[in-house]
Amino acid sequence: SLDGKISLPGQQLLLSGAESMAMTHRLRSMHDGILVGIDTVICDDPQLCVRHVPASELTSVAHPQPIVLDSQLRIPLTARLLVGPQTNSRLKMPFIVTGPDHDPARRAQLEQMGARVVVVACDAGRLCLDAVVRELRQLGIMRLMVEGGARVIQAFLESQIVDLLIITIAPVLVGSSGVAAALSPLSAPIVPQLYEQFGRDVVMAATIQHNVG
């Protein structure tokens, strides 16, 4: 939003117009994997597939591999990420990235449903993103799109492993009750590279100027 919000607490909030939504889904089709945190799955129940493309492409477009960061395996067994591929063979069962202290019985349930559980190290209770990216690369995920939520976005922006930042700005004011896109100031500046208008929305492509010295 214009005031830097991406959602309401515990609620899904649709901000993007049709044109920028189509752009986002086109971006999804250009990536090997699309990643969200478990809070986004619980709140939004997303499908993480490609839908907003011309009808002629719906049966041939490549869907990215859904990936969920879920250190305690809290993903509901009724989540559309798990149920959808059972009725649509073109959708992919998710990779669920968890920590070493997960529930083995829950893992067995998820794997029986067809999900792939990937275990990585944790640091202070949070999954180590370097380890996440390294494991995903070994599984063939070379181009990764990170969609949310706010904590996941913040962690990746601070990680120095982000190549490009795409920000869609909708002409909407959410107010002080909204969830901020950035939970705290970034330690490195964002450098805009390109602005484009999609319908009513403005989309910015930017890089992050990390101090590597």
Side-chain angles (χ1 to χ4, degrees), residues 58-148:
L58 284 174
T59 58
S60 60
V61 69
H63 294 288
Q65 172 64 56
I67 301 159
V68 182
L69 299 186
D70 184 4
S71 61
Q72 298 297 319
L73 295 184
R74 293 189 293 134
I75 185 170
L77 300 182
T78 56
R80 290 196 291 181
L81 286 174
L82 295 169
V83 175
Q86 297 177 21
T87 57
N88 183 346
S89 61
R90 297 196 65 251
L91 300 180
K92 301 173 182 177
M93 273 292 189
F95 293 168
I96 303 174
V97 185
T98 192
D101 295 329
H102 62 271
D103 180 356
R106 184 69 164 186
R107 175 178 180 172
Q109 282 183 302
L110 293 167
E111 291 179 333
Q112 187 174 20
M113 294 182 72
R116 181 161 190 161
V117 178
V118 180
V119 181
V120 301
C122 287
D123 182 13
R126 295 183 179 275
L127 299 174
C128 296
L129 294 186
D130 285 341
V132 170
V133 172
R134 185 165 56 249
E135 289 293 326
L136 292 178
R137 185 181 300 118
Q138 292 181 1
L139 292 171
I141 306 299
M142 303 299 175
R143 295 166 297 175
L144 179 64
M145 182 173 176
V146 178
E147 279 209 1

Coordinates of all heavy atoms in Angstrom, one line a residue, residues 58-148:
L58 N -3.1 -21.7 -19.8 CA -3.4 -22.3 -18.5 C -3.0 -23.8 -18.5 O -2.6 -24.3 -17.5 CB -4.8 -22.2 -18.1 CG -5.2 -20.8 -17.6 CD1 -6.7 -20.7 -17.4 CD2 -4.5 -20.4 -16.3
T59 N -3.1 -24.5 -19.6 CA -2.8 -25.9 -19.7 C -1.4 -26.2 -20.0 O -0.9 -27.4 -19.9 CB -3.7 -26.6 -20.7 OG1 -3.5 -26.0 -22.0 CG2 -5.2 -26.5 -20.3
S60 N -0.6 -25.2 -20.3 CA 0.8 -25.4 -20.6 C 1.8 -24.7 -19.8 O 3.0 -25.0 -19.8 CB 1.1 -25.1 -22.1 OG 0.8 -23.7 -22.3
V61 N 1.4 -23.7 -19.0 CA 2.3 -22.8 -18.2 C 2.9 -23.7 -17.2 O 2.4 -24.6 -16.6 CB 1.5 -21.6 -17.6 CG1 0.6 -22.1 -16.5 CG2 2.5 -20.6 -17.1
A62 N 4.2 -23.4 -16.9 CA 5.0 -24.1 -15.9 C 4.6 -23.5 -14.5 O 4.8 -22.3 -14.3 CB 6.4 -24.0 -16.2
H63 N 4.2 -24.4 -13.6 CA 4.0 -23.9 -12.2 C 5.3 -24.1 -11.4 O 6.0 -25.1 -11.5 CB 2.9 -24.8 -11.6 CG 1.6 -24.6 -12.2 ND1 0.8 -23.5 -12.0 CD2 0.8 -25.4 -13.0 CE1 -0.3 -23.6 -12.7 NE2 -0.3 -24.8 -13.3
P64 N 5.6 -23.1 -10.5 CA 6.8 -23.2 -9.7 C 6.6 -24.2 -8.6 O 5.5 -24.6 -8.3 CB 7.0 -21.8 -9.1 CG 5.6 -21.3 -9.1 CD 4.9 -21.8 -10.3
Q65 N 7.7 -24.7 -8.0 CA 7.6 -25.6 -6.9 C 7.3 -24.8 -5.6 O 8.0 -23.9 -5.2 CB 9.0 -26.2 -6.7 CG 9.1 -27.1 -5.4 CD 8.2 -28.2 -5.4 OE1 8.2 -29.1 -6.3 NE2 7.4 -28.3 -4.4
P66 N 6.1 -25.1 -5.0 CA 5.8 -24.4 -3.7 C 6.8 -24.8 -2.6 O 7.1 -26.0 -2.5 CB 4.4 -24.9 -3.4 CG 3.9 -25.5 -4.7 CD 5.1 -26.0 -5.4
I67 N 7.2 -23.9 -1.8 CA 8.1 -24.1 -0.7 C 7.6 -23.4 0.5 O 7.3 -22.2 0.4 CB 9.5 -23.6 -1.1 CG1 10.0 -24.4 -2.3 CG2 10.5 -23.9 0.1 CD1 11.2 -23.7 -3.1
V68 N 7.5 -24.0 1.6 CA 7.1 -23.4 2.9 C 8.1 -23.5 3.9 O 8.7 -24.6 4.2 CB 5.8 -24.1 3.4 CG1 5.3 -23.5 4.6 CG2 4.7 -24.1 2.3
L69 N 8.5 -22.4 4.6 CA 9.3 -22.4 5.7 C 8.5 -22.7 7.0 O 7.6 -21.9 7.3 CB 10.1 -21.1 5.9 CG 11.0 -20.7 4.7 CD1 11.7 -19.4 5.1 CD2 12.0 -21.8 4.3
D70 N 8.7 -23.8 7.6 CA 7.8 -24.3 8.7 C 8.6 -25.0 9.7 O 8.7 -26.3 9.7 CB 6.7 -25.1 8.1 CG 5.6 -25.6 9.1 OD1 5.7 -25.1 10.3 OD2 4.7 -26.4 8.7
S71 N 9.2 -24.3 10.6 CA 10.2 -24.9 11.5 C 9.6 -26.0 12.5 O 10.3 -26.8 13.0 CB 10.9 -23.9 12.4 OG 10.0 -23.1 13.1
Q72 N 8.3 -25.9 12.7 CA 7.6 -26.8 13.6 C 6.6 -27.7 12.9 O 5.8 -28.4 13.6 CB 6.9 -26.0 14.8 CG 7.9 -25.3 15.6 CD 8.9 -26.2 16.4 OE1 8.5 -27.2 16.9 NE2 10.2 -25.8 16.4
L73 N 6.5 -27.7 11.6 CA 5.5 -28.5 10.8 C 4.1 -28.2 11.3 O 3.3 -29.1 11.6 CB 5.8 -30.0 10.9 CG 7.2 -30.4 10.3 CD1 7.3 -31.9 10.4 CD2 7.3 -30.0 8.9
R74 N 3.8 -26.9 11.3 CA 2.4 -26.5 11.6 C 1.4 -26.4 10.5 O 0.3 -26.1 10.6 CB 2.5 -25.1 12.3 CG 3.2 -25.1 13.6 CD 3.0 -23.7 14.3 NE 3.7 -22.6 13.6 CZ 3.1 -21.4 13.3 NH1 1.9 -21.2 13.6 NH2 3.8 -20.5 12.7
I75 N 1.9 -26.7 9.3 CA 1.0 -26.6 8.1 C -0.2 -27.5 8.3 O -0.1 -28.7 8.6 CB 1.8 -27.0 6.8 CG1 0.9 -26.8 5.6 CG2 2.3 -28.4 6.8 CD1 1.7 -26.9 4.3
P76 N -1.4 -26.9 8.1 CA -2.6 -27.8 8.2 C -2.7 -28.8 7.1 O -2.3 -28.6 6.0 CB -3.8 -26.7 8.0 CG -3.1 -25.4 8.3 CD -1.7 -25.5 7.8
L77 N -3.1 -30.0 7.5 CA -3.3 -31.1 6.5 C -4.3 -30.8 5.5 O -4.4 -31.4 4.4 CB -3.6 -32.4 7.2 CG -2.5 -32.9 8.2 CD1 -3.0 -34.2 8.8 CD2 -1.2 -33.0 7.6
T78 N -5.2 -29.8 5.8 CA -6.2 -29.4 4.8 C -5.8 -28.2 3.9 O -6.6 -27.7 3.1 CB -7.5 -29.0 5.6 OG1 -7.2 -27.9 6.5 CG2 -8.1 -30.1 6.3
A79 N -4.5 -27.8 4.0 CA -4.0 -26.6 3.2 C -4.2 -26.9 1.8 O -3.9 -28.1 1.3 CB -2.6 -26.3 3.6
R80 N -4.5 -25.9 1.0 CA -4.7 -26.1 -0.5 C -3.4 -26.6 -1.1 O -3.4 -27.2 -2.2 CB -5.2 -24.9 -1.1 CG -6.6 -24.6 -0.8 CD -7.3 -23.5 -1.7 NE -6.7 -22.2 -1.5 CZ -7.1 -21.1 -2.2 NH1 -8.0 -21.2 -3.1 NH2 -6.5 -20.0 -2.0
L81 N -2.2 -26.2 -0.5 CA -0.9 -26.7 -1.1 C -0.8 -28.2 -1.0 O -0.1 -28.8 -1.8 CB 0.2 -26.0 -0.3 CG 0.5 -24.6 -0.5 CD1 1.6 -24.1 0.4 CD2 0.9 -24.3 -2.0
L82 N -1.5 -28.8 0.0 CA -1.5 -30.3 0.1 C -2.6 -30.9 -0.6 O -2.5 -32.0 -1.2 CB -1.5 -30.7 1.6 CG -0.3 -30.3 2.4 CD1 -0.5 -30.5 3.9 CD2 1.0 -31.0 2.0
V83 N -3.8 -30.3 -0.6 CA -5.0 -30.9 -1.2 C -5.1 -30.7 -2.7 O -5.5 -31.6 -3.5 CB -6.2 -30.3 -0.5 CG1 -7.5 -30.9 -1.2 CG2 -6.2 -30.7 1.0
G84 N -4.6 -29.5 -3.2 CA -4.7 -29.2 -4.6 C -4.1 -30.2 -5.6 O -4.7 -30.6 -6.5
P85 N -2.8 -30.6 -5.3 CA -2.2 -31.5 -6.2 C -2.9 -32.9 -6.3 O -2.6 -33.7 -7.2 CB -0.8 -31.6 -5.7 CG -0.6 -30.3 -4.9 CD -1.9 -30.0 -4.3
Q86 N -3.7 -33.2 -5.3 CA -4.4 -34.5 -5.3 C -5.5 -34.5 -6.3 O -5.9 -35.6 -6.8 CB -4.9 -34.8 -3.9 CG -3.9 -34.9 -2.8 CD -4.4 -35.2 -1.5 OE1 -5.6 -35.6 -1.3 NE2 -3.7 -34.9 -0.4
T87 N -6.0 -33.4 -6.7 CA -7.1 -33.3 -7.7 C -6.6 -32.7 -9.0 O -7.3 -32.8 -10.0 CB -8.3 -32.5 -7.2 OG1 -7.8 -31.2 -6.8 CG2 -8.9 -33.2 -6.0
N88 N -5.4 -32.1 -9.0 CA -4.9 -31.4 -10.2 C -3.4 -31.9 -10.4 O -2.5 -31.4 -9.7 CB -4.9 -29.9 -10.1 CG -4.5 -29.2 -11.4 OD1 -3.8 -29.8 -12.3 ND2 -4.7 -27.9 -11.5
S89 N -3.2 -32.8 -11.3 CA -1.9 -33.4 -11.5 C -0.8 -32.5 -11.9 O 0.4 -32.8 -11.9 CB -2.0 -34.6 -12.4 OG -2.4 -34.2 -13.7
R90 N -1.2 -31.3 -12.4 CA -0.2 -30.3 -12.9 C 0.4 -29.5 -11.8 O 1.4 -28.9 -11.9 CB -0.8 -29.4 -14.0 CG -1.3 -30.1 -15.2 CD -1.6 -29.1 -16.4 NE -0.3 -28.5 -16.8 CZ 0.0 -27.2 -16.6 NH1 -0.9 -26.4 -16.0 NH2 1.1 -26.7 -17.0
L91 N -0.3 -29.5 -10.6 CA 0.3 -28.8 -9.4 C 1.3 -29.7 -8.7 O 1.2 -31.0 -8.8 CB -0.9 -28.5 -8.5 CG -1.9 -27.5 -9.1 CD1 -3.0 -27.2 -8.0 CD2 -1.3 -26.2 -9.6
K92 N 2.2 -29.1 -8.0 CA 3.3 -29.8 -7.3 C 3.1 -29.8 -5.8 O 2.7 -28.8 -5.3 CB 4.6 -29.2 -7.7 CG 4.9 -29.1 -9.2 CD 6.2 -28.3 -9.5 CE 6.5 -28.3 -11.0 NZ 7.7 -27.4 -11.3
M93 N 3.3 -31.0 -5.2 CA 3.3 -31.1 -3.8 C 4.4 -30.2 -3.2 O 5.5 -30.1 -3.8 CB 3.4 -32.5 -3.3 CG 2.1 -33.3 -3.2 SD 1.1 -32.6 -1.9 CE -0.2 -33.8 -1.9
P94 N 4.2 -29.6 -2.1 CA 5.2 -28.6 -1.6 C 6.4 -29.3 -1.0 O 6.4 -30.4 -0.5 CB 4.4 -27.9 -0.5 CG 3.4 -28.8 0.0 CD 3.0 -29.6 -1.2
F95 N 7.5 -28.5 -1.0 CA 8.7 -28.8 -0.2 C 8.4 -28.0 1.1 O 8.1 -26.8 1.1 CB 10.0 -28.2 -0.8 CG 10.4 -28.9 -2.1 CD1 11.4 -28.3 -2.8 CD2 9.9 -30.1 -2.5 CE1 11.9 -28.9 -4.0 CE2 10.3 -30.7 -3.7 CZ 11.3 -30.1 -4.4
I96 N 8.5 -28.7 2.2 CA 8.3 -28.1 3.5 C 9.6 -28.1 4.3 O 10.1 -29.2 4.6 CB 7.2 -28.8 4.3 CG1 5.9 -28.9 3.5 CG2 7.0 -28.1 5.7 CD1 4.8 -29.7 4.2
V97 N 10.2 -26.9 4.5 CA 11.5 -26.8 5.1 C 11.3 -26.6 6.6 O 10.6 -25.7 7.0 CB 12.3 -25.6 4.5 CG1 13.7 -25.6 5.1 CG2 12.3 -25.7 3.0
T98 N 11.9 -27.5 7.4 CA 11.7 -27.5 8.8 C 13.0 -27.6 9.5 O 14.1 -27.8 8.9 CB 10.7 -28.7 9.2 OG1 10.3 -28.5 10.6 CG2 11.4 -30.0 9.0
G99 N 13.0 -27.5 10.9 CA 14.1 -27.6 11.7 C 14.3 -29.0 12.2 O 13.4 -29.9 12.1
P100 N 15.4 -29.3 12.9 CA 15.7 -30.6 13.4 C 14.8 -31.1 14.5 O 14.7 -32.3 14.8 CB 17.2 -30.5 13.9 CG 17.4 -29.1 14.1 CD 16.5 -28.3 13.1
D101 N 14.1 -30.2 15.2 CA 13.3 -30.5 16.3 C 11.8 -30.7 16.0 O 10.9 -30.5 16.8 CB 13.4 -29.5 17.5 CG 14.8 -29.4 18.0 OD1 15.5 -30.5 18.0 OD2 15.2 -28.3 18.4
H102 N 11.5 -31.1 14.8 CA 10.2 -31.3 14.3 C 9.6 -32.6 14.9 O 10.3 -33.4 15.4 CB 10.1 -31.3 12.8 CG 10.9 -32.4 12.2 ND1 12.2 -32.3 11.8 CD2 10.5 -33.7 11.9 CE1 12.6 -33.5 11.3 NE2 11.6 -34.3 11.3
D103 N 8.2 -32.7 14.8 CA 7.5 -33.9 15.2 C 7.6 -35.0 14.2 O 7.1 -34.8 13.1 CB 6.0 -33.5 15.5 CG 5.2 -34.7 15.9 OD1 5.7 -35.8 16.0 OD2 4.0 -34.4 16.2
P104 N 8.3 -36.1 14.5 CA 8.4 -37.2 13.5 C 7.1 -37.7 13.0 O 7.0 -38.1 11.8 CB 9.2 -38.2 14.2 CG 9.9 -37.5 15.3 CD 9.0 -36.4 15.7
A105 N 6.1 -37.8 13.8 CA 4.8 -38.3 13.4 C 4.1 -37.4 12.4 O 3.5 -37.8 11.4 CB 3.9 -38.5 14.6
R106 N 4.2 -36.1 12.7 CA 3.7 -35.1 11.7 C 4.4 -35.2 10.4 O 3.8 -35.1 9.3 CB 3.8 -33.7 12.3 CG 3.2 -32.6 11.5 CD 1.7 -32.7 11.5 NE 1.1 -31.5 11.1 CZ -0.2 -31.2 11.1 NH1 -1.1 -32.2 11.5 NH2 -0.7 -30.1 10.6
R107 N 5.7 -35.3 10.5 CA 6.5 -35.5 9.2 C 6.0 -36.7 8.4 O 5.9 -36.6 7.2 CB 8.0 -35.6 9.5 CG 8.8 -35.9 8.3 CD 10.3 -35.9 8.7 NE 11.1 -36.2 7.5 CZ 12.4 -36.1 7.4 NH1 13.1 -35.8 8.5 NH2 13.1 -36.3 6.3
A108 N 5.8 -37.8 9.1 CA 5.3 -39.0 8.4 C 4.0 -38.8 7.7 O 3.8 -39.2 6.6 CB 5.2 -40.1 9.4
Q109 N 3.1 -38.0 8.4 CA 1.8 -37.7 7.8 C 2.0 -36.9 6.5 O 1.3 -37.2 5.5 CB 0.9 -36.9 8.8 CG 0.3 -37.7 9.9 CD -0.6 -36.8 10.8 OE1 -0.1 -35.8 11.4 NE2 -1.9 -37.1 10.8
L110 N 2.8 -35.9 6.6 CA 3.0 -35.0 5.4 C 3.6 -35.8 4.3 O 3.3 -35.6 3.1 CB 3.8 -33.8 5.8 CG 3.2 -32.8 6.8 CD1 4.2 -31.9 7.4 CD2 2.1 -32.1 6.1
E111 N 4.6 -36.6 4.6 CA 5.3 -37.4 3.6 C 4.4 -38.4 3.0 O 4.4 -38.7 1.8 CB 6.6 -38.0 4.1 CG 7.6 -37.0 4.4 CD 8.9 -37.6 5.0 OE1 8.8 -38.7 5.7 OE2 10.0 -37.0 4.9
Q112 N 3.5 -38.9 3.8 CA 2.5 -39.9 3.2 C 1.5 -39.2 2.3 O 1.1 -39.8 1.3 CB 1.7 -40.5 4.4 CG 0.8 -41.6 3.9 CD 0.1 -42.3 5.1 OE1 0.0 -41.8 6.2 NE2 -0.4 -43.5 4.9
M113 N 1.3 -37.9 2.5 CA 0.4 -37.2 1.6 C 1.1 -36.8 0.3 O 0.5 -36.4 -0.7 CB -0.1 -35.9 2.3 CG -1.0 -36.1 3.4 SD -1.7 -34.6 4.2 CE -2.8 -34.1 2.9
G114 N 2.5 -36.9 0.3 CA 3.2 -36.6 -0.9 C 4.1 -35.4 -0.8 O 4.9 -35.1 -1.7
A115 N 4.1 -34.7 0.3 CA 5.0 -33.5 0.5 C 6.4 -34.0 0.8 O 6.7 -35.1 1.3 CB 4.5 -32.7 1.7
R116 N 7.4 -33.2 0.4 CA 8.8 -33.5 0.7 C 9.2 -32.6 1.9 O 9.1 -31.3 1.8 CB 9.6 -33.2 -0.5 CG 11.1 -33.5 -0.3 CD 11.9 -33.7 -1.6 NE 13.2 -34.2 -1.4 CZ 13.9 -34.8 -2.3 NH1 13.5 -34.9 -3.5 NH2 15.2 -35.2 -2.0
V117 N 9.7 -33.2 2.9 CA 10.1 -32.5 4.1 C 11.7 -32.4 4.0 O 12.4 -33.4 3.9 CB 9.7 -33.2 5.4 CG1 10.3 -32.5 6.6 CG2 8.2 -33.3 5.5
V118 N 12.1 -31.1 4.1 CA 13.6 -30.8 4.0 C 14.0 -30.3 5.4 O 13.4 -29.3 5.9 CB 13.8 -29.8 2.9 CG1 15.3 -29.5 2.8 CG2 13.3 -30.3 1.6
V119 N 15.0 -30.9 6.0 CA 15.5 -30.5 7.3 C 16.8 -29.7 7.2 O 17.7 -30.1 6.5 CB 15.7 -31.7 8.2 CG1 16.2 -31.3 9.6 CG2 14.4 -32.6 8.3
V120 N 16.7 -28.5 7.8 CA 17.9 -27.6 7.8 C 18.2 -27.2 9.3 O 17.3 -27.3 10.1 CB 17.8 -26.4 6.9 CG1 17.5 -26.8 5.5 CG2 16.7 -25.5 7.4
A121 N 19.4 -26.7 9.5 CA 19.7 -26.2 10.8 C 19.0 -24.9 11.2 O 18.5 -24.2 10.3 CB 21.2 -25.9 10.9
C122 N 18.8 -24.7 12.5 CA 18.2 -23.5 13.0 C 19.2 -22.7 13.8 O 20.2 -23.2 14.3 CB 17.0 -23.8 13.9 SG 15.5 -24.5 13.1
D123 N 18.9 -21.4 13.9 CA 19.7 -20.5 14.7 C 18.8 -19.6 15.5 O 18.0 -18.9 14.9 CB 20.6 -19.6 13.8 CG 21.5 -18.7 14.6 OD1 21.6 -18.9 15.8 OD2 22.1 -17.7 14.0
A124 N 18.8 -19.8 16.8 CA 17.9 -19.1 17.7 C 16.5 -19.3 17.3 O 15.6 -18.4 17.4 CB 18.2 -17.6 17.7
G125 N 16.2 -20.5 17.0 CA 14.8 -20.9 16.7 C 14.3 -20.6 15.3 O 13.2 -21.0 14.9
R126 N 15.2 -20.0 14.4 CA 14.8 -19.6 13.1 C 15.6 -20.5 12.1 O 16.8 -20.7 12.3 CB 15.0 -18.1 12.8 CG 14.1 -17.2 13.7 CD 14.3 -15.8 13.3 NE 13.5 -14.9 14.1 CZ 12.2 -14.6 13.8 NH1 11.7 -15.1 12.7 NH2 11.5 -13.8 14.5
L127 N 15.0 -20.9 11.0 CA 15.7 -21.6 10.0 C 16.8 -20.8 9.4 O 16.6 -19.6 9.1 CB 14.7 -22.0 8.9 CG 13.5 -22.9 9.3 CD1 12.6 -23.1 8.2 CD2 14.0 -24.3 9.8
C128 N 18.0 -21.4 9.2 CA 19.1 -20.7 8.6 C 18.9 -20.6 7.1 O 18.9 -21.6 6.4 CB 20.4 -21.5 8.9 SG 20.8 -21.6 10.6
L129 N 18.8 -19.3 6.6 CA 18.4 -19.1 5.2 C 19.5 -19.6 4.3 O 19.2 -20.1 3.2 CB 18.1 -17.7 5.0 CG 16.8 -17.2 5.7 CD1 16.5 -15.7 5.2 CD2 15.6 -18.1 5.4
D130 N 20.8 -19.4 4.7 CA 21.8 -19.9 3.8 C 21.7 -21.4 3.6 O 21.9 -22.0 2.5 CB 23.2 -19.6 4.4 CG 23.6 -18.2 4.3 OD1 23.0 -17.5 3.4 OD2 24.5 -17.7 5.1
A131 N 21.4 -22.1 4.7 CA 21.2 -23.6 4.6 C 19.9 -23.9 3.7 O 19.9 -24.9 3.0 CB 21.0 -24.2 6.0
V132 N 18.9 -23.1 3.9 CA 17.7 -23.3 3.1 C 18.0 -23.2 1.6 O 17.6 -24.1 0.8 CB 16.6 -22.3 3.5 CG1 15.4 -22.3 2.5 CG2 16.1 -22.5 4.9
V133 N 18.6 -22.1 1.2 CA 18.9 -21.9 -0.2 C 19.9 -23.0 -0.7 O 19.7 -23.5 -1.8 CB 19.6 -20.5 -0.4 CG1 20.1 -20.3 -1.8 CG2 18.5 -19.4 0.0
R134 N 20.8 -23.4 0.1 CA 21.8 -24.4 -0.3 C 21.0 -25.8 -0.6 O 21.3 -26.4 -1.6 CB 22.8 -24.6 0.8 CG 23.9 -25.6 0.4 CD 25.1 -25.5 1.3 NE 24.8 -25.6 2.7 CZ 24.8 -24.6 3.6 NH1 25.1 -23.4 3.2 NH2 24.5 -24.8 4.8
E135 N 20.1 -26.1 0.3 CA 19.4 -27.4 0.1 C 18.4 -27.3 -1.1 O 18.3 -28.3 -1.8 CB 18.5 -27.7 1.4 CG 19.4 -28.1 2.6 CD 20.0 -29.5 2.4 OE1 19.4 -30.3 1.7 OE2 21.2 -29.6 2.9
L136 N 17.8 -26.2 -1.2 CA 16.9 -26.0 -2.4 C 17.7 -26.1 -3.7 O 17.2 -26.6 -4.7 CB 16.2 -24.7 -2.3 CG 15.1 -24.6 -1.1 CD1 14.5 -23.2 -1.1 CD2 14.1 -25.6 -1.3
R137 N 18.9 -25.5 -3.7 CA 19.7 -25.6 -4.9 C 20.0 -27.0 -5.3 O 19.9 -27.4 -6.4 CB 21.0 -24.8 -4.7 CG 21.8 -24.7 -6.0 CD 23.1 -23.9 -5.8 NE 22.9 -22.6 -5.4 CZ 23.3 -22.1 -4.2 NH1 23.9 -22.8 -3.3 NH2 23.0 -20.8 -3.9
Q138 N 20.3 -27.9 -4.3 CA 20.6 -29.3 -4.5 C 19.3 -30.0 -5.0 O 19.4 -31.0 -5.7 CB 21.1 -29.9 -3.2 CG 22.4 -29.4 -2.8 CD 22.9 -30.1 -1.5 OE1 22.3 -31.0 -1.0 NE2 24.1 -29.7 -1.1
L139 N 18.1 -29.4 -4.8 CA 16.9 -30.0 -5.2 C 16.5 -29.4 -6.6 O 15.3 -29.7 -7.0 CB 15.8 -29.8 -4.2 CG 16.0 -30.6 -2.9 CD1 15.0 -30.2 -1.8 CD2 15.9 -32.1 -3.2
G140 N 17.3 -28.6 -7.2 CA 17.0 -28.1 -8.5 C 16.4 -26.7 -8.6 O 16.0 -26.3 -9.6
I141 N 16.3 -26.1 -7.4 CA 15.7 -24.7 -7.4 C 16.8 -23.7 -7.6 O 17.5 -23.3 -6.6 CB 14.9 -24.5 -6.0 CG1 13.9 -25.6 -5.8 CG2 14.3 -23.1 -6.0 CD1 12.8 -25.7 -6.8
M142 N 16.9 -23.2 -8.8 CA 18.0 -22.3 -9.1 C 17.5 -20.8 -9.1 O 18.2 -19.9 -8.8 CB 18.6 -22.6 -10.5 CG 19.2 -24.0 -10.6 SD 20.5 -24.3 -9.4 CE 20.8 -26.0 -9.6
R143 N 16.2 -20.7 -9.4 CA 15.6 -19.3 -9.4 C 14.4 -19.4 -8.4 O 13.4 -20.0 -8.6 CB 15.1 -19.0 -10.8 CG 16.2 -18.8 -11.8 CD 15.6 -18.8 -13.2 NE 14.9 -20.1 -13.5 CZ 14.2 -20.3 -14.6 NH1 14.1 -19.4 -15.5 NH2 13.7 -21.5 -14.8
L144 N 14.6 -18.6 -7.3 CA 13.6 -18.7 -6.2 C 12.9 -17.3 -6.0 O 13.6 -16.3 -5.9 CB 14.4 -19.0 -4.9 CG 13.5 -19.1 -3.6 CD1 12.5 -20.2 -3.7 CD2 14.4 -19.3 -2.4
M145 N 11.6 -17.4 -6.0 CA 10.8 -16.2 -5.7 C 10.3 -16.3 -4.3 O 9.6 -17.2 -3.9 CB 9.7 -16.2 -6.8 CG 8.8 -14.9 -6.7 SD 7.6 -14.9 -8.0 CE 6.6 -13.5 -7.6
V146 N 10.5 -15.2 -3.5 CA 10.1 -15.2 -2.1 C 8.9 -14.2 -2.1 O 9.0 -13.0 -2.4 CB 11.2 -14.7 -1.2 CG1 10.7 -14.6 0.2 CG2 12.4 -15.6 -1.3
E147 N 7.7 -14.7 -1.7 CA 6.5 -13.9 -1.7 C 6.1 -13.4 -0.3 O 5.4 -12.4 -0.2 CB 5.4 -14.7 -2.3 CG 5.4 -14.6 -3.8 CD 4.0 -14.8 -4.4 OE1 3.0 -14.8 -3.7 OE2 3.9 -14.8 -5.7
G148 N 6.5 -14.0 0.8 CA 6.0 -13.5 2.1 C 6.1 -14.6 3.1 O 6.5 -15.7 2.9

